Coordinates of all heavy atoms in Angstrom, one line a residue:
V387 N 101.1 82.7 85.4 CA 101.1 82.9 84.0 C 99.7 82.9 83.4 O 99.4 83.7 82.5 CB 102.0 81.7 83.3 CG1 101.9 81.7 81.8 CG2 103.4 81.9 83.8
I388 N 98.8 82.0 83.9 CA 97.5 82.0 83.4 C 96.8 83.3 83.7 O 96.1 83.9 82.8 CB 96.7 80.8 84.0 CG1 97.2 79.5 83.5 CG2 95.2 80.9 83.8 CD1 96.7 78.3 84.2
G389 N 97.0 83.8 84.9 CA 96.4 85.2 85.2 C 97.0 86.3 84.4 O 96.3 87.2 84.0
L390 N 98.3 86.2 84.0 CA 98.9 87.2 83.2 C 98.2 87.2 81.8 O 97.8 88.3 81.4 CB 100.4 86.9 83.0 CG 101.2 87.8 82.2 CD1 101.4 89.1 82.9 CD2 102.4 87.2 81.7
F391 N 98.1 86.1 81.2 CA 97.4 86.1 79.9 C 95.9 86.4 79.9 O 95.4 87.1 79.1 CB 97.6 84.7 79.2 CG 99.0 84.5 78.8 CD1 99.8 83.5 79.3 CD2 99.5 85.3 77.8 CE1 101.0 83.3 78.8 CE2 100.9 85.1 77.3 CZ 101.6 84.1 77.8
A392 N 95.2 85.9 80.9 CA 93.8 86.2 81.1 C 93.6 87.7 81.4 O 92.7 88.2 80.7 CB 93.2 85.3 82.2
G393 N 94.4 88.2 82.2 CA 94.2 89.7 82.5 C 94.6 90.5 81.3 O 94.0 91.5 81.0
G394 N 95.6 90.1 80.6 CA 96.0 90.8 79.3 C 94.9 90.8 78.3 O 94.5 91.8 77.7
I395 N 94.3 89.6 78.1 CA 93.2 89.5 77.1 C 92.0 90.3 77.5 O 91.3 91.0 76.8 CB 92.8 88.0 76.9 CG1 94.0 87.3 76.2 CG2 91.6 87.8 76.1 CD1 93.9 85.8 76.1
F396 N 91.6 90.2 78.8 CA 90.4 90.9 79.4 C 90.7 92.4 79.3 O 89.8 93.1 78.8 CB 90.2 90.5 80.8 CG 89.1 91.2 81.4 CD1 87.7 90.9 81.1 CD2 89.3 92.2 82.4 CE1 86.7 91.5 81.7 CE2 88.3 92.8 83.0 CZ 87.0 92.5 82.7
G397 N 91.8 92.8 79.6 CA 92.1 94.3 79.6 C 92.1 94.8 78.2 O 91.7 95.9 77.9
L398 N 92.7 94.0 77.2 CA 92.8 94.4 75.8 C 91.3 94.6 75.2 O 91.1 95.5 74.5 CB 93.6 93.4 75.0 CG 93.9 93.8 73.5 CD1 94.7 95.1 73.5 CD2 94.6 92.7 72.9
E399 N 90.5 93.7 75.6 CA 89.1 93.7 75.0 C 88.3 94.8 75.6 O 87.4 95.4 75.0 CB 88.4 92.4 75.3 CG 88.9 91.2 74.5 CD 88.2 89.9 74.8 OE1 87.3 89.9 75.7 OE2 88.5 88.9 74.1
S400 N 88.6 95.2 76.9 CA 87.7 96.2 77.5 C 88.3 97.7 77.4 O 87.5 98.6 77.3 CB 87.5 95.9 79.0 OG 88.8 96.0 79.7
D401 N 89.6 97.9 77.4 CA 90.1 99.2 77.5 C 91.3 99.5 76.5 O 91.7 100.6 76.3 CB 90.5 99.5 78.9 CG 90.8 101.0 79.1 OD1 90.1 101.8 78.5 OD2 91.7 101.3 80.0
G402 N 92.0 98.5 76.0 CA 93.1 98.8 75.1 C 94.4 98.5 75.9 O 94.5 97.7 76.7
G403 N 95.4 99.3 75.5 CA 96.8 99.1 76.0 C 97.0 99.2 77.5 O 97.6 98.3 78.1
A404 N 96.5 100.3 78.0 CA 96.6 100.5 79.5 C 95.8 99.5 80.3 O 96.3 99.0 81.3 CB 96.3 101.9 79.9
G405 N 94.7 99.2 79.8 CA 93.8 98.2 80.5 C 94.4 96.8 80.4 O 94.3 96.0 81.3
M406 N 95.1 96.5 79.3 CA 95.8 95.2 79.1 C 96.9 95.1 80.2 O 97.0 94.1 80.8 CB 96.4 95.1 77.7 CG 97.1 93.8 77.5 SD 97.8 93.6 75.8 CE 99.2 94.7 76.0
L407 N 97.7 96.1 80.3 CA 98.8 96.1 81.3 C 98.2 96.0 82.7 O 98.7 95.2 83.5 CB 99.6 97.3 81.1 CG 100.9 97.5 82.1 CD1 101.8 96.3 81.8 CD2 101.5 98.8 81.9
F408 N 97.3 96.8 83.0 CA 96.6 96.8 84.3 C 96.0 95.5 84.7 O 96.2 94.9 85.7 CB 95.7 98.0 84.5 CG 95.1 98.2 85.8 CD1 95.9 98.6 86.8 CD2 93.8 97.8 86.1 CE1 95.3 98.8 88.1 CE2 93.2 98.0 87.4 CZ 94.1 98.4 88.4
G409 N 95.2 95.0 83.7 CA 94.6 93.6 83.9 C 95.6 92.5 84.1 O 95.4 91.6 84.9
A410 N 96.6 92.6 83.3 CA 97.7 91.5 83.3 C 98.4 91.5 84.7 O 98.5 90.5 85.3 CB 98.6 91.7 82.2
V411 N 98.7 92.7 85.1 CA 99.4 92.8 86.4 C 98.6 92.3 87.6 O 99.0 91.5 88.4 CB 99.9 94.2 86.7 CG1 100.5 94.4 88.0 CG2 101.1 94.5 85.7
I412 N 97.3 92.8 87.6 CA 96.4 92.4 88.7 C 96.1 90.9 88.7 O 96.2 90.3 89.8 CB 95.1 93.3 88.6 CG1 95.4 94.8 88.8 CG2 94.1 92.8 89.6 CD1 95.9 95.1 90.1
L413 N 95.7 90.4 87.6 CA 95.4 89.0 87.6 C 96.6 88.1 87.7 O 96.5 87.0 88.2 CB 94.5 88.6 86.3 CG 93.1 89.1 86.3 CD1 92.4 88.7 85.1 CD2 92.4 88.6 87.5
A414 N 97.8 88.5 87.3 CA 99.0 87.7 87.5 C 99.3 87.6 89.0 O 99.6 86.6 89.6 CB 100.2 88.3 86.8
A415 N 99.1 88.8 89.7 CA 99.3 88.8 91.2 C 98.3 87.9 91.9 O 98.6 87.1 92.8 CB 99.2 90.2 91.7
I416 N 97.0 88.0 91.5 CA 96.0 87.1 92.1 C 96.3 85.7 91.8 O 96.1 84.8 92.6 CB 94.6 87.6 91.6 CG1 94.3 89.0 92.2 CG2 93.5 86.6 92.0 CD1 93.0 89.6 91.6
G417 N 96.6 85.4 90.5 CA 96.9 84.0 90.1 C 98.1 83.4 90.9 O 98.1 82.3 91.4
G418 N 99.1 84.2 91.2 CA 100.3 83.8 91.9 C 99.9 83.5 93.4 O 100.4 82.6 94.0
W419 N 99.0 84.4 93.9 CA 98.6 84.2 95.3 C 97.8 82.9 95.5 O 98.0 82.2 96.4 CB 97.8 85.4 95.7 CG 97.3 85.4 97.1 CD1 98.0 85.5 98.3 CD2 96.0 85.1 97.6 NE1 97.2 85.4 99.4 CE2 95.9 85.1 99.0 CE3 94.8 84.9 96.9 CZ2 94.8 84.9 99.7 CZ3 93.6 84.7 97.6 CH2 93.6 84.7 99.0
I420 N 96.8 82.7 94.5 CA 96.1 81.5 94.6 C 97.0 80.3 94.3 O 96.8 79.2 95.0 CB 94.9 81.6 93.5 CG1 93.9 82.6 93.9 CG2 94.3 80.2 93.3 CD1 92.9 82.9 92.9
G421 N 98.0 80.4 93.5 CA 98.9 79.3 93.3 C 99.7 78.9 94.5 O 99.9 77.7 94.8
R422 N 100.1 79.9 95.3 CA 100.8 79.7 96.5 C 99.9 79.0 97.5 O 100.4 78.1 98.3 CB 101.4 81.0 97.1 CG 102.6 81.5 96.4 CD 103.3 82.6 97.1 NE 102.5 83.8 97.3 CZ 102.4 84.8 96.4 NH1 103.1 84.7 95.3 NH2 101.7 85.8 96.7
L423 N 98.6 79.4 97.6 CA 97.7 78.6 98.4 C 97.6 77.2 98.0 O 97.5 76.3 98.8 CB 96.3 79.3 98.4 CG 96.3 80.7 99.1 CD1 94.8 81.3 98.9 CD2 96.5 80.5 100.6
A424 N 97.5 77.0 96.7 CA 97.4 75.6 96.2 C 98.6 74.8 96.5 O 98.5 73.6 96.9 CB 97.1 75.6 94.6
D425 N 99.8 75.4 96.4 CA 101.0 74.7 96.8 C 101.0 74.3 98.2 O 101.4 73.2 98.6 CB 102.2 75.7 96.5 CG 102.6 75.8 95.1 OD1 102.3 74.8 94.3 OD2 103.1 76.8 94.7
A426 N 100.5 75.2 99.1 CA 100.4 74.9 100.5 C 99.4 73.8 100.8 O 99.7 72.8 101.6 CB 100.0 76.2 101.3
V427 N 98.3 73.8 100.1 CA 97.3 72.7 100.3 C 97.9 71.4 99.8 O 97.7 70.4 100.5 CB 96.0 73.1 99.6 CG1 95.0 71.9 99.5 CG2 95.3 74.3 100.3
V428 N 98.5 71.4 98.7 CA 99.1 70.1 98.2 C 100.2 69.6 99.1 O 100.2 68.4 99.4 CB 99.6 70.4 96.7 CG1 100.5 69.2 96.3 CG2 98.5 70.6 95.8
A429 N 101.0 70.5 99.6 CA 102.1 70.1 100.6 C 101.4 69.4 101.8 O 101.9 68.4 102.3 CB 103.0 71.3 100.9

């Protein structure tokens, strides 16, 4: 969720609508991946 919002804001500031969507998708995927690693480390 943090990656989704951060990517959306970053993409909106740099490129507009398409950049917002692209940035949100990419950073949400990266954030989810990092979160799964954090879950594994905590476990």
Side-chain angles (χ1 to χ4, degrees):
V387 170
I388 291 171
L390 178 76
F391 287 118
I395 292 169
F396 178 73
L398 186 63
E399 288 179 355
S400 64
D401 192 32
M406 180 180 74
L407 181 63
F408 186 69
V411 169
I412 295 296
L413 285 183
I416 292 171
W419 181 73
I420 291 172
R422 285 192 298 273
L423 288 177
D425 286 331
V427 168
V428 168

